[in-house]
Amino acid sequence: MFYETVRLALQAIMRNLLRSFLTVLGIVIGVAAVIALVTVGQGSTDQVEADVTALGTNLLMIKPGQASQGPGSTTGSAASLTLKDVDAIESEIARVRVAAPTSARSMTAIYGNENHATSVTGTDNRYLVARDWEVALGRSFYDSELRAGAAACIIGDTIRAELFGNGDPLGAAIRLKQISCRVIGVLEARGASSFGTDQDDLILLPIRTFQRRIAGNQDVDLIYAAVKENASTEKAKADIERLMRERRRISAGEEDDFNVFDMKQISSMLTGITTVLTSLLSAVAAVSLFVGGIGIMNIMLVSVTERTREIGIRLAVGATEGQVLLQFLVESIVLSLIGGLIGIILGLGLALIGVRILAVPFAPDPTLIGVAFLFSAVVGVVFGYFPARRAARLDPIEALRHQ
Amino acid sequence: MTERVSKKNTEDPQAAPLIHLEGVSKIYGQGEAKVYALRGIDLVIQSGEFAAIMGPSGSGKSTAMNIIGCLDTPTEGHYRFGGVEVGGLGRDQRALLRRNFLGFVFQGYNLLARTSALDNVELPLIYKGVPAAKRKSMALEALAKVGLAGRESHDPSQLSGGQQQRVAIARAIVTRPDVILADEPTGNLDSARGEEIMDLLTALNRDEGITIIMVTHEPDMAEYADRLIRFVDGRVESDVQNPVRN
Ligand SMILES: Nc1ncnc2c1ncn2[C@@H]1O[C@H](COP(=O)(O)OP(=O)(O)OP(=O)(O)O)[C@@H](O)[C@H]1O
Ligand SMILES: [Mg+2]
């Protein structure tokens, strides 16, 4: 009997295909919107998390300056960091695996007729360790180069592609303003991050070379500190704050004149934004689903009126109230499930386009799809019940007389 | 879905008659707007009869048919179908009576549009819960009986009026009912087509023993019946055996 009812419902739907399609349009759009938005949103969140993980979730960044400023803010008047700070953090804090100094400037790198604006960073080999970054071609800095402040550089993959194309960069001399430096290595490619930056667009110099010949001071702009595998990032952060207060002679009660950033904070901040956006848009989409449900109810009511005579015939030949109710209910459920199915397919299609454009991973959530499907069925039951009951309660004589 | 409402054996003359109306009145509306569609009808129809109901428009013929067909209940009086008091039954129980013992033929055919003849005839069987294969063979048999073998896949729109009415008759007999109620079955047909329908009903009455109650305005059609009941103003004015046939 149930199979029979579904067959009857499908027959009724097929008999008026265009109207059936218009009926479910609201559901289709609602479901498609929810699926597309949530899937793309999830992809962006995944991307941000992946980027942060690639950067190292156990990475802390130390910067001079007043508290509550972002990692990109300017240093201000606070005393700068030094190489001694880097060594102290690394040697005195057990929870820190490695600490690396960095100072960076935007500069134009020139090789032959090619030139490319990039970020030149003064650091040492510890930077590669802290960021788990391998040299794909050539080698890292020799200690002698680091000590002497030699004009040797390691380039990112973007620089290699921009300046050398398919040529061999090793041993070539790149011009950075007044200095000429020899390429000793190329970093493995990391690709773009969701922060919108190309991670491979950089040139590494020994920190002393940078300080002496580019910055003209002894400053370290930013220290990267990688926390040991099983150590708590929170505790390492507290350790560093205590050490730095001591080293910078900040008395109790005075505010920090430096900042320690946790990559997890940054990542949760960023994913927080995408999550809020996703849920906001999904709420809008859910409203359209509700409107879609009302659309179904409306059309089902029209359908009941239009098919009054048919209902009269069914009642006359012996259909019970329950059988007519079931028929119309199943019809609206089947209708909204079809709408839900089309919506899911359409939504995934839109999501696929969306993730291509945003260059984030495509991560469809089976739970979400299941919920969307279930929700369509619920919409069918809820909004189909009232019209179905109206159909079932029709007076057969009146219904048969209906034109 | 196959439960049957119990009904006494109608073959036994001592038992309750198949159709028994006793002082049946039907009143529509209330107060000033009260309309008496039936004013105390007494009527007994035995199993196997072929009765024609005639009378002027508005005399209550359709109202009586609806009550006999368990589509409606009397306002006053008693209607017993095979001994069962129909007035005391609920909607669903009356639906079960219709599905198991009654078949309807209407003036306007009342077939489902855009639905094949076969599917139309199968309709009552679906509600009875007959399995698909059995349903199909029963429907094909009924269509053959009304002379429409080979037309099972046609839509009502592809059939003439007479053919549509025969599909409707096939739908009425497919459940092997005790009674066929036909309200002006030839009203929309020319006389030749009408006579074909009457021949069919006569054959069903004679060969299958199906009780037939038919409303008609056409004396020619009423001649086919063996009993003529005349309604006037909600009352039975006359009730005679057909002198032509008997
Ligand atoms: N639902 C209703 N509400 C009010 N009055 C009704 C209703 N149904 C029928 N009537 C009235 O009851 C009376 C009998 O109607 P009925 O349809 O039984 O007549 P009939 O003999 O079948 O007429 P016809 O030959 O025109 O079909 C008429 O006066 C009609 O107006
Ligand atoms: Mg009438």
Side-chain angles (χ1 to χ4, degrees):
Chain A
M1 186 62 211
F2 182 74
Y3 162 78
E4 214 43 69
T5 314
V6 172
R7 198 181 64 95
L8 280 178
L10 283 173
Q11 250 176 24
I13 289 165
M14 297 305 280
R15 229 181 279 151
N16 214 327
L17 211 53
L18 179 65
R19 189 180 67 191
S20 302
F21 175 71
L22 292 175
T23 305
V24 298
L25 205 55
I27 298 250
V28 169
I29 291 170
V31 169
V34 171
I35 297 267
L37 288 171
V38 174
T39 305
V40 171
Q42 189 57 47
S44 318
T45 307
D46 288 356
Q47 182 65 46
V48 169
E49 274 168 4
D51 287 344
V52 171
T53 310
L55 211 57
T57 42
N58 56 353
L59 210 55
L60 296 171
M61 295 194 289
I62 302 108
K63 235 177 98 66
Q66 293 304 320
S68 70
Q69 289 179 318
S73 63
T74 47
T75 309
S77 58
S80 60
L81 301 166
T82 65
L83 286 171
K84 288 209 174 65
D85 291 326
V86 179
D87 294 338
I89 289 169
E90 191 176 83
S91 60
E92 289 178 34
I93 298 171
R95 290 193 174 91
V96 170
R97 178 167 57 97
V98 62
T102 61
S103 287
R105 293 286 184 280
S106 295
M107 297 177 84
T108 303
I110 304 165
Y111 176 75
N113 293 326
E114 306 292 336
N115 68 80
H116 182 74
T118 186
S119 157
V120 175
T121 302
T123 185
D124 56 34
N125 290 333
R126 288 179 294 183
Y127 178 80
L128 303 178
V129 179
R131 295 205 52 189
D132 287 320
W133 211 339
E134 299 287 334
V135 176
L137 198 67
R139 58 172 176 85
S140 54
F141 299 115
Y142 289 145
D143 278 351
S144 56
E145 288 169 334
L146 290 167
R147 247 181 282 119
C153 61
I154 302 173
I155 60 174
D157 198 57
T158 301
I159 307 294
R160 180 198 57 73
E162 290 289 331
L163 297 187
F164 300 98
N166 292 325
D168 179 11
L170 293 183
I174 297 177
R175 275 211 81 72
L176 297 168
K177 269 195 197 153
Q178 67 276 34
I179 66 168
S180 163
C181 67
R182 206 160 53 81
V183 177
I184 60 164
V186 179
L187 293 168
E188 66 176 1
R190 283 245 160 126
S193 78
S194 63
F195 307 117
T197 52
D198 175 4
Q199 300 184 79
D200 299 321
D201 191 359
L202 87 174
I203 296 176
L204 302 181
L205 283 178
I207 181 93
R208 283 186 199 285
T209 316
F210 184 91
Q211 288 172 333
R212 238 177 262 157
R213 304 184 61 177
I214 293 174
N217 60 32
Q218 296 286 91
D219 297 351
V220 169
D221 295 344
L222 181 75
I223 298 172
Y224 282 94
V227 179
K228 277 184 183 152
E229 194 77 37
N230 296 315
S232 142
T233 311
E234 285 300 303
K235 285 182 180 155
K237 190 176 165 190
D239 289 347
I240 291 169
E241 278 162 355
R242 208 175 308 116
L243 177 72
M244 290 305 291
R245 283 181 74 88
E246 203 178 286
R247 289 181 62 81
R248 294 164 79 87
R249 304 210 163 72
I250 301 168
S251 47
E254 241 183 286
E255 260 190 64
D256 288 353
D257 65 350
F258 62 92
N259 278 301
V260 183
F261 298 103
D262 179 348
M263 288 312 293
K264 267 192 194 136
Q265 288 174 336
I266 296 167
S267 109
S268 64
M269 195 183 80
L270 287 170
T271 57
I273 294 168
T274 51
T275 309
V276 167
L277 266 178
T278 306
S279 33
L280 214 72
L281 291 170
S282 302
V284 173
V287 169
S288 83
L289 251 183
F290 182 77
V291 173
I294 291 177
I296 287 219
M297 176 153 78
N298 182 28
I299 302 282
M300 288 301 292
L301 279 173
V302 170
S303 166
V304 167
T305 309
E306 250 184 40
R307 288 159 65 190
T308 299
R309 200 183 176 82
E310 173 196 327
I311 296 162
I313 295 169
R314 292 179 186 279
L315 289 169
V317 302
T320 57
E321 234 177 277
Q323 284 171 327
V324 174
L325 181 88
L326 190 69
Q327 186 195 332
F328 276 81
L329 206 52
V330 166
E331 202 173 308
S332 83
I333 294 170
V334 168
L335 209 54
S336 37
L337 280 182
I338 290 174
L341 213 60
I342 297 174
I344 287 168
I345 294 166
L346 191 69
L348 288 176
L350 288 174
L352 212 54
I353 296 170
V355 297
R356 285 269 165 76
I357 292 170
L358 295 176
V360 300
F362 178 59
D365 180 359
T367 318
L368 175 70
I369 292 169
V371 166
F373 197 63
L374 213 72
F375 193 83
S376 325
V378 170
V379 166
V381 174
V382 170
F383 293 100
Y385 181 76
F386 177 63
R389 204 189 56 168
R390 175 180 268 199
R393 297 216 174 152
L394 281 176
D395 174 11
I397 302 165
E398 295 285 323
L400 280 171
R401 232 193 322 247
H402 194 269
Q403 283 318 300
Chain B
M1 295 297 170
T2 51
E3 66 259 53
R4 290 173 73 97
V5 174
S6 68
K7 183 168 69 75
K8 284 181 191 159
N9 182 6
T10 51
E11 305 303 311
D12 181 355
Q14 294 324 107
L18 181 61
I19 285 160
H20 189 179
L21 287 84
E22 222 178 344
V24 165
S25 291
K26 185 72 191 181
I27 303 164
Y28 288 110
Q30 282 176 344
E32 295 286 295
K34 244 183 186 177
V35 177
Y36 275 79
L38 296 176
R39 301 169 189 266
I41 298 271
D42 294 306
L43 195 61
V44 172
I45 294 172
Q46 297 292 349
S47 182
E49 282 195 75
F50 185 166
I53 299 177
M54 298 191 73
S57 187
S59 58
K61 306 181 295 293
S62 295
T63 306
M65 289 290 268
N66 289 338
I67 289 173
I68 294 168
C70 303
L71 286 164
D72 206 352
T73 50
T75 316
E76 286 164 13
H78 299 280
Y79 168 44
R80 280 186 288 275
F81 181 72
V84 176
E85 177 67 53
V86 177
L89 301 178
R91 266 178 70 119
D92 280 356
Q93 284 171 300
R94 282 188 276 126
L96 294 182
L97 277 182
R98 291 198 294 276
R99 130 184 350 165
N100 288 312
F101 306 115
L102 298 161
F104 294 89
V105 179
F106 305 94
Q107 178 175 1
Y109 323 133
N110 276 338
L111 299 175
L112 295 187
R114 279 163 291 176
T115 305
S116 72
L118 185 70
D119 284 344
N120 263 294
V121 176
E122 280 190 29
L123 193 64
L125 300 177
I126 291 177
Y127 293 118
K128 278 187 88 163
V130 177
K134 177 110 187 285
R135 218 161 56 209
K136 187 169 179 189
S137 69
M138 286 172 82
L140 286 174
E141 193 188 323
L143 280 168
K145 226 176 254 176
V146 299
L148 284 179
R151 300 289 173 107
E152 56 268 10
S153 61
H154 287 48
D155 273 6
S157 63
Q158 299 167 313
L159 297 169
S160 72
Q163 288 170 327
Q164 287 185 60
Q165 193 59 298
R166 281 189 277 160
V167 173
I169 292 172
R171 181 181 63 192
I173 62 172
V174 76
T175 56
R176 312 214 162 101
D178 293 348
V179 185
I180 287 178
L181 297 164
D183 196 344
E184 301 187 39
T186 59
N188 287 6
L189 302 174
D190 62 45
S191 59
R193 252 26 73 195
E195 275 159 24
E196 282 171 23
I197 295 296
M198 293 318 300
D199 287 336
L200 192 55
L201 289 176
T202 308
L204 289 170
N205 174 250
R206 190 185 55 225
D207 304 338
E208 320 245 333
I210 299 175
T211 308
I212 292 176
I213 304 170
M214 174 184 76
V215 170
T216 183
H217 282 291
E218 300 156 88
D220 289 352
M221 301 304 162
E223 289 305 325
Y224 284 82
D226 23 56
R227 182 174 168 189
L228 296 178
I229 302 165
R230 204 176 154 70
F231 275 46
V232 174
D233 201 15
R235 292 195 180 86
V236 176
E237 192 213 45
S238 69
D239 183 352
V240 295
Q241 295 302 308
N242 185 349
V244 178
R245 279 194 95 194
N246 295 294

